[in-house]
Amino acid sequence: MKTKTILISLGVATAFFLLSTKKAFANLVHNQGFRGCDGFGCGSFGASRGDRVHQGIDIPTVKGETIFSPISGTVTRFPFPYGDDLRYTGIEIKNEIYSVKIFYLKATVPAGAIVKQGQAIATAQDIAAKYGSGMTNHIHLEVRQTPTGQIIEPTNLF
């Protein structure tokens, strides 16, 4: 009887551990990595951008690569990263905890769509076409707390 109780306790503890270590975000691309530094700067959160800092992270992509939703939520809008170059687009997805913006993609879901974490939502654009081969092609991810709008460092959410 003691052995059975111990085994059940270990099973419950293992299940709790596995569930509690699940990351908040799904990967945005297969074989996800993070953009290091190239001729145009670094892709990490907080990297210098002259008189400002990078408020997101950059994830390397290949033009046309499928992009997946990091969270479950509602597609609220399609923002533009550059006011003077509308070729490049983004997507914003919100739920009660997180608001994410992902830039340099072409959305394949409409505004108002309810998306699930890990669902295909877009294809990657070719940002290198704007900056040249010195820039690693990537998508850009920014994360905020939905209730407060405060920016969050997203690297450890994966």
Side-chain angles (χ1 to χ4, degrees):
M1 186 68 164
K2 281 187 174 181
T3 303
K4 186 175 181 181
T5 302
I6 291 170
L7 290 175
I8 290 171
S9 296
L10 285 173
V12 170
T14 301
F16 177 76
F17 173 77
L18 291 173
L19 290 173
S20 67
T21 58
K22 182 180 184 293
K23 295 293 187 169
F25 281 21
N27 284 353
L28 280 79
V29 295
H30 294 298
N31 301 315
Q32 180 168 304
F34 299 104
R35 177 179 161 231
C37 299
D38 57 30
F40 288 87
C42 301
S44 59
F45 185 84
S48 175
R49 292 288 186 269
D51 60 347
R52 63 182 182 86
V53 296
H54 195 225
Q55 292 192 328
I57 57 173
D58 295 340
I59 298 167
T61 60
V62 175
K63 178 184 176 187
E65 184 173 3
T66 300
I67 308 301
F68 302 97
S69 182
I71 62 171
S72 294
T74 303
V75 176
T76 55
R77 65 189 185 107
F78 302 108
F80 295 95
Y82 307 111
D84 62 346
D85 189 346
L86 302 182
R87 295 177 298 164
Y88 297 95
T89 59
I91 191 169
E92 182 179 71
I93 303 168
K94 290 185 178 185
N95 64 28
E96 61 281 348
I97 302 169
Y98 300 109
S99 173
V100 299
K101 285 185 201 172
I102 311 166
F103 291 118
Y104 315 130
L105 54 74
K106 180 168 176 41
T108 56
V109 293
I114 306 296
V115 296
K116 298 289 183 194
Q117 184 179 48
Q119 176 182 333
I121 57 167
T123 57
Q125 291 181 298
D126 184 10
I127 190 66
K130 181 174 182 72
Y131 291 102
S133 62
M135 178 178 278
T136 304
N137 203 66
H138 65 275
I139 54 174
H140 171 85
L141 170 70
E142 290 181 10
V143 180
R144 296 183 182 276
Q145 292 178 347
T146 297
T148 65
Q150 181 177 349
I151 197 85
I152 298 172
E153 204 280 74
T155 306
N156 294 325
L157 295 173
F158 294 96

